[in-house]
């Protein structure tokens, strides 16, 4: 059986906090212990440069995050553990993907759009203070994922759009240069506690300054937990678990049974002070042994440096270098003496053809779309009868796509020549029958 590849990265822009632990490190390490899984964990230090322009902070954060993974139980002999900037094939692939990525798709990335909206709100030019790295962020992330054919990517909800974009780039690349170059990755969100609330109840995030460092010394951990925002209900009054940051944090560390007991305690009017004490004890009991290992690791950065370099060296040899060799060949960065082969040279003979799919919507109308795998090439508007829709499909199959026809529109960022190519592939297949 081919193993499932699970890959995730943490941006090295801060100190690891409980949100990173619950949202990424813990589920990733649990997944890596399942049989039939090959895991890739890396330090996304190129991503850090988008936001952090303080070299010492990037360095310190890289050390802390690497030490955190190791302290939490990562075994570099069992999983691929590396630093993004030690794998030059990642930025190289980023460029290949940049040249097929739709700019319109990148315009719609949440992080970039939020930055533009902030500028507009402040009456600034759209792109004031926005570097091109922020704009390209999803492409670099796609390269991280696609280079290693990751099947599953455990991430927080805020990152799901990035995985969808990686799929989009993979599909485009496959469509242009031959099916089978890239595997389409899927986002995996831990169902129970995908995002952890921070001290103020919003998502725990460095940018909100509401984090609890994963390896804060015991006394500081206690102080931070006692500063979690709660409502003003007195001991004895029933408390809501719904919307309670304290409860959600507890749930993220407790068993189902313990969580039920806490839910009961809320209903019975547990005082906030006592609830915080229980939360503190619960978290500290999980974190304390790891904290001790962490402190020992951080005291020896040269050991971690060696482990990271070694990981990247083996990974490049095994996957990244041969992979880029094949991809360069696929796009035409080739030995000039070699005989030219076409764009789809890599396409196996049995590559699936694009298909027309017909369906009915809740509005009672009849629709169709032309899809290539999961890539929507054409989308129709609603027709009154299936016959009308069928007639339109037949016309498309016979002739070329007419961009002026308003009853069918290209899918997101799909070019007319891509549609024409799909239609002519269908015609060629029909003739060959
Ligand atoms: N963007 C991710 C984050 O901020 C970090 C990241 C970079 C990543 N490359 C990745 C996560 C590839 C998963 C896969 O959380």
């Amino acid at each position: 059986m081919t193993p499932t590849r699970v890959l995730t990265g943490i941006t090295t822009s801060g100190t690891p906090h409980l949100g990173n632990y619950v949202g990424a490190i813990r589920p990733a390490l649990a997944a890596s212990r399942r049989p039939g899984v090959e895991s890739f964990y890396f330090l996304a230090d190129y991503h850090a440069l988008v936001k952090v322009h303080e070299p010492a902070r990037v360095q310190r954060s890289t050390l802390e995050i690497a030490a955190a993974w190791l302290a939490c139980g990562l075994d570099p002999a069992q999983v691929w553990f590396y630093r993004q900037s030690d794998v030059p094939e990642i930025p190289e692939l980023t460029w290949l993907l940049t040249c097929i990525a739709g700019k319109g798709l990148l315009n719609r990335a949440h992080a970039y759009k939020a930055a533009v909206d902030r500028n507009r709100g402040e009456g600034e030019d759209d792109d004031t203070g926005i570097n091109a790295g922020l704009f390209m962020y999803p492409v670099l992330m796609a390269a991280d994922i696609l280079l290693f054919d990751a099947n599953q990517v455990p991430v927080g909800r805020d990152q799901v759009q990035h995985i969808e974009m990686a799929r989009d780039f993979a599909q485009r690349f496959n469509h242009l240069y031959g099916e089978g170059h890239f595997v389409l990755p899927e986002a995996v969100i831990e169902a129970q506690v995908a995002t952890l609330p921070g001290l103020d109840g919003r998502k725990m995030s460095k940018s909100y300054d509401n984090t609890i460092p994963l390896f804060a010394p015991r006394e500081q951990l206690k102080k931070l937990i006692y500063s979690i925002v709660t409502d003003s209900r007195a001991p004895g009054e029933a408390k809501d678990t719904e919307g309670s940051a304290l409860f959600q944090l507890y749930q993220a560390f407790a068993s189902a049974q313990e969580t039920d007991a806490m839910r009961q305690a809320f209903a019975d009017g547990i005082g906030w002070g006592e609830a915080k004490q229980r939360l503190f004890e619960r978290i500290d009991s999980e974190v304390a042994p790891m904290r001790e290992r962490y402190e020992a690791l951080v005291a020896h950065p040269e050991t971690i440096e060696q482990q990271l370099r070694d990981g990247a060296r083996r990974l490049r040899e095994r996957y990244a270098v041969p992979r880029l060799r094949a991809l360069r060949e696929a796009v035409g960065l080739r030995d000039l003496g070699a005989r030219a082969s076409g764009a789809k040279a890599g396409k196996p003979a049995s590559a699936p053809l694009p298909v027309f799919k017909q369906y009915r919507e809740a509005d009672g109308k009849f629709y169709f779309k032309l899809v290539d795998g999961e890539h929507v090439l054409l989308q129709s508007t609603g027709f009154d009868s299936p016959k009308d829709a069928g007639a339109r499909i037949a016309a498309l199959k016979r002739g070329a796509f007419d961009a002026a026809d308003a009853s069918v529109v290209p899918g997101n960022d799909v070019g007319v020549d891509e549609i024409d190519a799909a239609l002519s592939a269908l015609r060629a297949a029909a003739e060959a029958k």
Side-chain angles (χ1 to χ4, degrees), residues 185-222:
E186 269 168 38
V188 178
I189 302 168
E190 211 191 11
Q192 279 235 330
V193 271
T195 45
L196 205 64
L199 297 173
D200 58 359
R202 292 185 292 174
K203 177 194 163 182
M204 187 178 290
S205 161
K206 215 171 8 37
S207 37
Y208 294 146
D209 199 18
N210 65 355
T211 63
I212 303 176
L214 175 54
F215 295 122
R218 194 178 141 89
E219 274 319 300
Q220 195 199 341
L221 176 66
K222 182 163 178 172

Side-chain angles (χ1 to χ4, degrees), residues 7-11 42 44 47 137 141 144-145 153-155 159 162:
L7 174 146
T8 201
I10 295 194
T11 310
F42 70 98
H47 278 103
Y137 190 109
M141 185 159 157
D144 292 331
I145 297 168
V153 186
V155 284
Q159 298 291 314
H162 291 146

Side-chain angles (χ1 to χ4, degrees), residues 112-301:
Y112 170 69
K113 251 179 41 188
V116 170
D117 287 346
R118 250 189 323 272
N119 277 336
R120 289 188 185 160
E122 287 160 17
E124 299 278 358
D125 269 357
D126 275 10
D127 283 327
T128 296
I130 300 180
N131 64 53
L134 180 68
F135 190 70
M136 297 305 297
Y137 190 109
V139 186
L140 177 58
M141 185 159 157
D144 292 331
I145 297 168
L146 300 180
L147 180 61
F148 300 111
D149 282 335
N151 305 100
Q152 298 182 353
V153 186
V155 284
R157 261 179 227 295
D158 58 325
Q159 298 291 314
V160 170
Q161 187 194 31
H162 291 146
I163 313 304
E164 282 162 6
M165 289 186 167
R167 293 170 65 89
D168 183 275
F169 305 149
Q171 280 169 326
R172 277 163 193 267
F173 193 98
N174 288 348
H175 191 70
L176 277 168
Y177 295 115
E179 297 303 327
H181 279 299
F182 291 124
V183 162
L184 304 189
E186 269 168 38
V188 178
I189 302 168
E190 211 191 11
Q192 279 235 330
V193 271
T195 45
L196 205 64
L199 297 173
D200 58 359
R202 292 185 292 174
K203 177 194 163 182
M204 187 178 290
S205 161
K206 215 171 8 37
S207 37
Y208 294 146
D209 199 18
N210 65 355
T211 63
I212 303 176
L214 175 54
F215 295 122
R218 194 178 141 89
E219 274 319 300
Q220 195 199 341
L221 176 66
K222 182 163 178 172
K223 230 161 118 188
L224 285 168
I225 286 173
Y226 273 74
S227 76
I228 291 169
V229 174
T230 55
D231 63 26
S232 57
R233 280 180 222 190
E237 279 183 78
K239 314 273 186 300
D240 276 334
T241 54
E242 186 71 24
S244 161
L246 197 156
F247 184 78
Q248 285 176 51
L249 278 156
Y250 187 80
Q251 186 171 35
F253 286 88
S255 67
Q257 254 177 356
E258 290 168 318
T259 303
D260 284 344
M262 184 60 102
R263 188 176 286 112
Q264 190 57 48
F266 266 53
D268 294 345
I270 187 175
W272 287 124
E274 195 192 332
K276 285 173 174 177
Q277 183 61 29
R278 283 200 207 172
L279 173 62
F280 165 65
E281 292 298 348
R282 191 68 202 77
I283 294 181
D284 191 59
S285 69
E286 182 161 337
V287 164
M290 303 190 292
R291 184 194 291 132
E292 213 169 293
R293 286 198 293 274
Y294 175 82
E295 278 161 9
L297 285 158
V298 166
H300 292 284

